[in-house]
Amino acid sequence: MTCTAKFVFSDNLLQYHFHEDHPFNQKRVLLATELLKAAGTLPEDRIISPRMATEEELKLFHDHAYVEAVKQASQRMLPEPRATEYGLGTEDTPIFPGMHEASSYLVGGSLTAVDEVLLGRATHALNLGGGLHHGFKRKASGFCIYNDGAIAIRYIREVYNLRVLYVDTDAHHGDGVQWAFYDDPNVCTFSIHETGRYLFPGTGNVNERGIKEGHGYSFNLPIDAFTEDESFLNAYTTALTQITAFFKPDIIITQNGADAHCYDPLTHLCSTMAIYERIPLLAHQLAHEYCNGRWVALGGGGYDMWRVVPRAWAQVWNVMHNMKPAKGELPTSWLDKWQKESPVTLPTHWEDDPSIVPVIPRKEEISEKNKLALQQLLKYTAKPSDQLKL
């Protein structure tokens, strides 16, 4: 198995910044990038700069009036009633100067990654600045202004005419991307996420299956709060393997939110770094098995920006570039530089000590609930004659 990988990065990806107290902080991208450089696994010749998406590209998914509203908001010229109509100026997505340009670079980064892979310049490409999966056609939502994943998929469909499998492992349901292609049989979406019973956006039930010609191409696996590594990985591995075999995509797009970790302050899952080794490994394997290696990976959520996100995202690149996750101690140069700024003690190893996971009295019950949800999902990937075997 031979492959080349490209890493999309420039300081333009760091300009998407709401305010200092907002949980979404793109400094995560810089921390992950510098971790890889310090580890010696990100050669300079693998790094490519993102371009800014054009307005025409933004409108592959977003409504013209919405794009115009974001442009006006960027210049503080959008009246409050109109801002509210478009989901702008809220607690989740406050208005900041230059937000249109900053958001367009995140989208352009994902389009740059797509072109690198589909023009044959790389087998894999990673844009950690992307993965803003909650954005809707006419409305911002959940920290997401423009939905780069939906735009990138629409771009692939229109420019390259390929069948796309979108895989979302963020703890929050990938609602914006799902609804964008809910009636499209050429785009299959799979989201494994914490159940919406207690977590935004409250959607992503197993029975959300698509409509019209797209019925049967939307897959959701809501897992219970406090799910740990073993149950998560069993559900993810089994579901994604079978969904990929069912759909047989031409390219895989993964959204790699890092907020299923037990340290994350906004979710209730209890994983460790163990899942962030296995998640990209399976995507890599399936991309080579079904797509001639074509795999584009995006960032996403993740709100413990010091202890979790840099390691989790760096492992995506380690798998893309070296075909295996890193092990052992983190680079001392990275630790020395960033510990001075971090409000928490930084981990010293790529792996977590299992003792960081709190004791969960309902562990067996949670695992059983997840098995039942998985069994229900798997019925949708089976041929009618095979369903009784499940």
Side-chain angles (χ1 to χ4, degrees), residues 180-194:
F181 302 101
Y182 210 52
D183 60 354
D184 190 340
N186 294 299
V187 178
C188 181
T189 62
F190 168 52
S191 177
I192 178 172
H193 48 267
E194 181 184 333

PDB file of all heavy atoms in Angstrom, residues 180-194:
ATOM      1  N   ALA A 180     -28.294  18.305   3.995  1.00  0.00           N
ATOM      2  CA  ALA A 180     -27.910  18.818   2.674  1.00  0.00           C
ATOM      3  C   ALA A 180     -28.066  17.762   1.588  1.00  0.00           C
ATOM      4  O   ALA A 180     -28.342  18.086   0.432  1.00  0.00           O
ATOM      5  CB  ALA A 180     -26.457  19.314   2.713  1.00  0.00           C
ATOM      6  N   PHE A 181     -27.907  16.488   1.969  1.00  0.00           N
ATOM      7  CA  PHE A 181     -27.938  15.411   0.972  1.00  0.00           C
ATOM      8  C   PHE A 181     -28.981  14.348   1.301  1.00  0.00           C
ATOM      9  O   PHE A 181     -28.860  13.199   0.899  1.00  0.00           O
ATOM     10  CB  PHE A 181     -26.531  14.784   0.870  1.00  0.00           C
ATOM     11  CG  PHE A 181     -25.489  15.790   0.505  1.00  0.00           C
ATOM     12  CD1 PHE A 181     -24.658  16.333   1.483  1.00  0.00           C
ATOM     13  CD2 PHE A 181     -25.365  16.246  -0.798  1.00  0.00           C
ATOM     14  CE1 PHE A 181     -23.714  17.294   1.154  1.00  0.00           C
ATOM     15  CE2 PHE A 181     -24.424  17.204  -1.141  1.00  0.00           C
ATOM     16  CZ  PHE A 181     -23.598  17.735  -0.159  1.00  0.00           C
ATOM     17  N   TYR A 182     -30.022  14.778   2.012  1.00  0.00           N
ATOM     18  CA  TYR A 182     -31.016  13.831   2.512  1.00  0.00           C
ATOM     19  C   TYR A 182     -31.806  13.172   1.392  1.00  0.00           C
ATOM     20  O   TYR A 182     -32.400  12.110   1.594  1.00  0.00           O
ATOM     21  CB  TYR A 182     -31.955  14.572   3.471  1.00  0.00           C
ATOM     22  CG  TYR A 182     -32.534  13.721   4.568  1.00  0.00           C
ATOM     23  CD1 TYR A 182     -31.722  12.942   5.387  1.00  0.00           C
ATOM     24  CD2 TYR A 182     -33.901  13.718   4.816  1.00  0.00           C
ATOM     25  CE1 TYR A 182     -32.251  12.175   6.410  1.00  0.00           C
ATOM     26  CE2 TYR A 182     -34.444  12.960   5.844  1.00  0.00           C
ATOM     27  CZ  TYR A 182     -33.609  12.179   6.631  1.00  0.00           C
ATOM     28  OH  TYR A 182     -34.140  11.417   7.643  1.00  0.00           O
ATOM     29  N   ASP A 183     -31.821  13.776   0.202  1.00  0.00           N
ATOM     30  CA  ASP A 183     -32.562  13.211  -0.922  1.00  0.00           C
ATOM     31  C   ASP A 183     -31.638  12.774  -2.058  1.00  0.00           C
ATOM     32  O   ASP A 183     -32.090  12.569  -3.184  1.00  0.00           O
ATOM     33  CB  ASP A 183     -33.600  14.202  -1.450  1.00  0.00           C
ATOM     34  CG  ASP A 183     -32.973  15.506  -1.933  1.00  0.00           C
ATOM     35  OD1 ASP A 183     -31.742  15.684  -1.755  1.00  0.00           O
ATOM     36  OD2 ASP A 183     -33.711  16.348  -2.488  1.00  0.00           O
ATOM     37  N   ASP A 184     -30.341  12.630  -1.770  1.00  0.00           N
ATOM     38  CA  ASP A 184     -29.349  12.352  -2.811  1.00  0.00           C
ATOM     39  C   ASP A 184     -28.795  10.939  -2.663  1.00  0.00           C
ATOM     40  O   ASP A 184     -28.087  10.638  -1.695  1.00  0.00           O
ATOM     41  CB  ASP A 184     -28.213  13.368  -2.719  1.00  0.00           C
ATOM     42  CG  ASP A 184     -27.258  13.301  -3.903  1.00  0.00           C
ATOM     43  OD1 ASP A 184     -27.240  12.267  -4.588  1.00  0.00           O
ATOM     44  OD2 ASP A 184     -26.521  14.274  -4.124  1.00  0.00           O
ATOM     45  N   PRO A 185     -29.055  10.049  -3.607  1.00  0.00           N
ATOM     46  CA  PRO A 185     -28.568   8.671  -3.501  1.00  0.00           C
ATOM     47  C   PRO A 185     -27.084   8.523  -3.808  1.00  0.00           C
ATOM     48  O   PRO A 185     -26.523   7.442  -3.632  1.00  0.00           O
ATOM     49  CB  PRO A 185     -29.411   7.927  -4.537  1.00  0.00           C
ATOM     50  CG  PRO A 185     -29.701   8.962  -5.582  1.00  0.00           C
ATOM     51  CD  PRO A 185     -29.877  10.245  -4.823  1.00  0.00           C
ATOM     52  N   ASN A 186     -26.442   9.599  -4.264  1.00  0.00           N
ATOM     53  CA  ASN A 186     -25.022   9.546  -4.591  1.00  0.00           C
ATOM     54  C   ASN A 186     -24.128  10.038  -3.460  1.00  0.00           C
ATOM     55  O   ASN A 186     -22.906  10.056  -3.605  1.00  0.00           O
ATOM     56  CB  ASN A 186     -24.746  10.363  -5.855  1.00  0.00           C
ATOM     57  CG  ASN A 186     -25.408   9.754  -7.072  1.00  0.00           C
ATOM     58  OD1 ASN A 186     -25.113   8.626  -7.444  1.00  0.00           O
ATOM     59  ND2 ASN A 186     -26.328  10.495  -7.678  1.00  0.00           N
ATOM     60  N   VAL A 187     -24.754  10.440  -2.350  1.00  0.00           N
ATOM     61  CA  VAL A 187     -24.019  10.850  -1.161  1.00  0.00           C
ATOM     62  C   VAL A 187     -24.578  10.068   0.023  1.00  0.00           C
ATOM     63  O   VAL A 187     -25.759  10.164   0.334  1.00  0.00           O
ATOM     64  CB  VAL A 187     -24.146  12.367  -0.894  1.00  0.00           C
ATOM     65  CG1 VAL A 187     -23.396  12.744   0.381  1.00  0.00           C
ATOM     66  CG2 VAL A 187     -23.616  13.163  -2.079  1.00  0.00           C
ATOM     67  N   CYS A 188     -23.716   9.290   0.653  1.00  0.00           N
ATOM     68  CA  CYS A 188     -24.104   8.515   1.830  1.00  0.00           C
ATOM     69  C   CYS A 188     -23.484   9.177   3.052  1.00  0.00           C
ATOM     70  O   CYS A 188     -22.270   9.451   3.069  1.00  0.00           O
ATOM     71  CB  CYS A 188     -23.604   7.077   1.694  1.00  0.00           C
ATOM     72  SG  CYS A 188     -24.039   5.993   3.075  1.00  0.00           S
ATOM     73  N   THR A 189     -24.292   9.471   4.066  1.00  0.00           N
ATOM     74  CA  THR A 189     -23.784  10.100   5.282  1.00  0.00           C
ATOM     75  C   THR A 189     -23.901   9.133   6.456  1.00  0.00           C
ATOM     76  O   THR A 189     -24.921   8.467   6.620  1.00  0.00           O
ATOM     77  CB  THR A 189     -24.534  11.404   5.606  1.00  0.00           C
ATOM     78  OG1 THR A 189     -25.929  11.113   5.852  1.00  0.00           O
ATOM     79  CG2 THR A 189     -24.418  12.406   4.466  1.00  0.00           C
ATOM     80  N   PHE A 190     -22.847   9.084   7.252  1.00  0.00           N
ATOM     81  CA  PHE A 190     -22.855   8.263   8.466  1.00  0.00           C
ATOM     82  C   PHE A 190     -22.316   9.102   9.621  1.00  0.00           C
ATOM     83  O   PHE A 190     -21.207   9.625   9.553  1.00  0.00           O
ATOM     84  CB  PHE A 190     -21.991   7.013   8.304  1.00  0.00           C
ATOM     85  CG  PHE A 190     -21.720   6.286   9.602  1.00  0.00           C
ATOM     86  CD1 PHE A 190     -22.767   5.929  10.437  1.00  0.00           C
ATOM     87  CD2 PHE A 190     -20.419   5.967   9.990  1.00  0.00           C
ATOM     88  CE1 PHE A 190     -22.540   5.266  11.639  1.00  0.00           C
ATOM     89  CE2 PHE A 190     -20.175   5.302  11.184  1.00  0.00           C
ATOM     90  CZ  PHE A 190     -21.226   4.949  12.015  1.00  0.00           C
ATOM     91  N   SER A 191     -23.115   9.236  10.666  1.00  0.00           N
ATOM     92  CA  SER A 191     -22.716   9.991  11.850  1.00  0.00           C
ATOM     93  C   SER A 191     -22.856   9.109  13.083  1.00  0.00           C
ATOM     94  O   SER A 191     -23.934   8.563  13.337  1.00  0.00           O
ATOM     95  CB  SER A 191     -23.594  11.244  12.006  1.00  0.00           C
ATOM     96  OG  SER A 191     -23.267  11.958  13.184  1.00  0.00           O
ATOM     97  N   ILE A 192     -21.769   8.943  13.818  1.00  0.00           N
ATOM     98  CA  ILE A 192     -21.816   8.304  15.143  1.00  0.00           C
ATOM     99  C   ILE A 192     -21.610   9.410  16.157  1.00  0.00           C
ATOM    100  O   ILE A 192     -20.650  10.185  16.067  1.00  0.00           O
ATOM    101  CB  ILE A 192     -20.765   7.176  15.289  1.00  0.00           C
ATOM    102  CG1 ILE A 192     -20.819   6.583  16.712  1.00  0.00           C
ATOM    103  CG2 ILE A 192     -19.366   7.621  14.900  1.00  0.00           C
ATOM    104  CD1 ILE A 192     -19.948   5.343  16.893  1.00  0.00           C
ATOM    105  N   HIS A 193     -22.519   9.537  17.117  1.00  0.00           N
ATOM    106  CA  HIS A 193     -22.527  10.707  17.982  1.00  0.00           C
ATOM    107  C   HIS A 193     -23.257  10.396  19.274  1.00  0.00           C
ATOM    108  O   HIS A 193     -24.001   9.408  19.365  1.00  0.00           O
ATOM    109  CB  HIS A 193     -23.239  11.873  17.280  1.00  0.00           C
ATOM    110  CG  HIS A 193     -24.549  11.457  16.677  1.00  0.00           C
ATOM    111  ND1 HIS A 193     -24.647  11.040  15.368  1.00  0.00           N
ATOM    112  CD2 HIS A 193     -25.803  11.348  17.200  1.00  0.00           C
ATOM    113  CE1 HIS A 193     -25.905  10.684  15.117  1.00  0.00           C
ATOM    114  NE2 HIS A 193     -26.619  10.874  16.219  1.00  0.00           N
ATOM    115  N   GLU A 194     -23.058  11.244  20.268  1.00  0.00           N
ATOM    116  CA  GLU A 194     -23.826  11.105  21.501  1.00  0.00           C
ATOM    117  C   GLU A 194     -25.300  11.348  21.208  1.00  0.00           C
ATOM    118  O   GLU A 194     -25.657  12.246  20.437  1.00  0.00           O
ATOM    119  CB  GLU A 194     -23.331  12.103  22.545  1.00  0.00           C
ATOM    120  CG  GLU A 194     -24.072  11.998  23.871  1.00  0.00           C
ATOM    121  CD  GLU A 194     -23.659  13.046  24.888  1.00  0.00           C
ATOM    122  OE1 GLU A 194     -22.504  13.520  24.832  1.00  0.00           O
ATOM    123  OE2 GLU A 194     -24.505  13.397  25.733  1.00  0.00           O
TER     124      GLU A 194
END
